[in-house]
């Protein structure tokens, strides 16, 4: 699908990866509709890129429905918004569980359900879910995040099959560790020795490639992480032992500590 001249709705536009995505799609000639909770960041970003800002909290179903009405002409939707949800599940209050699942899973599902009919009617469109390699292999201190990303992967690949032949594409982009933006950078988390990262620009390039080539799934990570996540998905006990040996538990604790006031 062509991006130039097409209206693109991007959720989570105020985060580091979201801002990189916004700049990349502006450079491709997209008409941007940017949404996020932080109005003080969102509006200046939209002004700089010649887009329109729509302030919305995706944990609120009414905000998702309002967003759909205000973005009715979008033919590309990038569901990028995510809420930090690291740490042991036993540390979460029920309302925190709800909010994390609402933003990370229910919102992209509902957004897709409400936006897709217009695309199907037009015979053209593309839905992109920004997932994570955490949707392929579980890790310690990330059960809630894993649950949302595993669910998002299943939903995306199933929806793609449902919409086959309608002219509407569906893609999943799954980054590994992003070094310059996103939750690890925001929390100041140090990764285990030898673990390589990618840049947010690579995530944006992969997202553009997924749309232009109608790719089902694009995993954006160094080769060893892509192989490890594939093996871990097939053999979870092996992945569990390997992660313990690599100190993944310490990384998860650092990440949870850095996210505690944001969830």
């Amino acid at each position: 699908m062509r991006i130039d001249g097409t209206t693109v709705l991007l959720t989570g536009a105020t985060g580091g990866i979201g801002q990189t995505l916004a700049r990349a799609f502006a450079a491709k000639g997209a008409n941007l509709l940017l949404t996020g909770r932080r109005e003080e960041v969102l509006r200046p970003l939209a002004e700089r890129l010649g887009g329109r800002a729509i302030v919305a909290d995706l944990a609120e179903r009414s905000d998702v429905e309002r967003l759909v009405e205000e973005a009715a002409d979008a033919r590309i939707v990038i569901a990028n918004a995510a809420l930090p949800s690291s740490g042991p599940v036993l540390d979460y209050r029920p309302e925190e569980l709800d909010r994390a699942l609402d933003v990370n899973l229910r919102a992209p599902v509902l957004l897709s359900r409400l936006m897709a009919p217009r695309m199907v009617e037009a015979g053209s469109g593309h839905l992109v879910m920004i997932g994570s390699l955490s949707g392929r292999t579980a890790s310690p201190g990330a059960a809630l995040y894993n649950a949302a990303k595993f669910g998002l992967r299943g939903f995306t690949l199933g929806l793609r099959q449902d919409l086959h032949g309608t002219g509407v594409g569906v893609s999943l982009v799954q980054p590994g560790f992003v070094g310059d933006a996103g939750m690890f950078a925001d929390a100041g988390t140090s990764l285990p020795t030898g673990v390589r990262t990618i840049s947010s620009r690579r995530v944006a390039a992969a997202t553009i490639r997924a749309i232009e080539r109608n790719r089902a799934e694009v995993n954006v990570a160094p080769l060893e992480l892509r192989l490890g996540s594939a093996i871990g998905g097939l053999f979870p006990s092996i992945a569990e032992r390997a992660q313990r040996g690599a100190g993944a538990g310490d990384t998860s604790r650092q990440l949870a500590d850095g996210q505690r006031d944001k969830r």
Side-chain angles (χ1 to χ4, degrees), residues 8-206:
V8 176
L9 172 62
L10 171 64
T11 73
T14 58
I17 294 175
Q19 292 188 42
T20 301
L21 284 165
R23 289 191 293 268
F25 277 84
K28 292 287 289 185
N31 302 319
L32 290 176
L33 301 176
L34 305 179
T35 185
R37 287 186 298 155
R38 294 185 292 159
E39 184 173 5
E40 72 281 5
V41 178
L42 185 67
R43 294 202 184 280
L45 176 66
E47 289 174 6
R48 286 197 303 272
L49 298 179
R52 181 159 69 91
I54 306 173
V55 179
D57 182 351
L58 298 187
E60 301 293 334
R61 182 170 302 187
S62 60
D63 271 22
V64 178
E65 293 170 348
R66 175 176 56 81
L67 176 61
V68 168
E69 292 306 314
E70 294 193 38
D73 58 341
R75 289 296 171 264
I76 296 174
V77 175
I78 304 169
N80 167 68
L83 192 69
S85 51
S86 297
V89 172
L90 299 186
D91 288 350
Y92 277 76
R93 300 189 303 274
E95 60 270 23
E96 291 176 330
L97 291 173
D98 287 343
R99 183 169 178 81
L101 291 173
D102 282 347
V103 173
N104 295 343
L105 182 57
R106 183 183 62 77
V109 170
L110 181 58
L111 191 61
S112 300
R113 167 62 186 86
L114 297 177
M115 292 295 294
R118 294 183 173 101
M119 298 180 184
V120 171
E121 184 178 357
S124 177
H126 208 101
L127 300 163
V128 183
M129 312 296 159
I130 305 298
S132 167
L133 288 186
S134 293
R136 305 189 80 196
T137 304
S139 53
L144 186 56
Y145 192 70
N146 289 140
K149 296 305 182 181
F150 268 71
L152 189 63
R153 182 172 189 255
F155 171 75
T156 305
L157 298 180
L159 180 64
R160 179 182 172 87
Q161 295 195 49
D162 289 349
L163 296 182
H164 177 72
T166 65
V168 180
V170 184
S171 298
L172 177 67
V173 176
Q174 298 187 123
F177 299 108
V178 181
D180 63 335
M183 62 184 185
F184 288 94
D186 291 345
T189 305
S190 57
L191 298 175
T193 302
V195 173
R196 293 193 294 157
T197 64
I198 56 167
S199 69
S200 57
R201 285 181 297 176
R202 279 191 61 186
V203 178

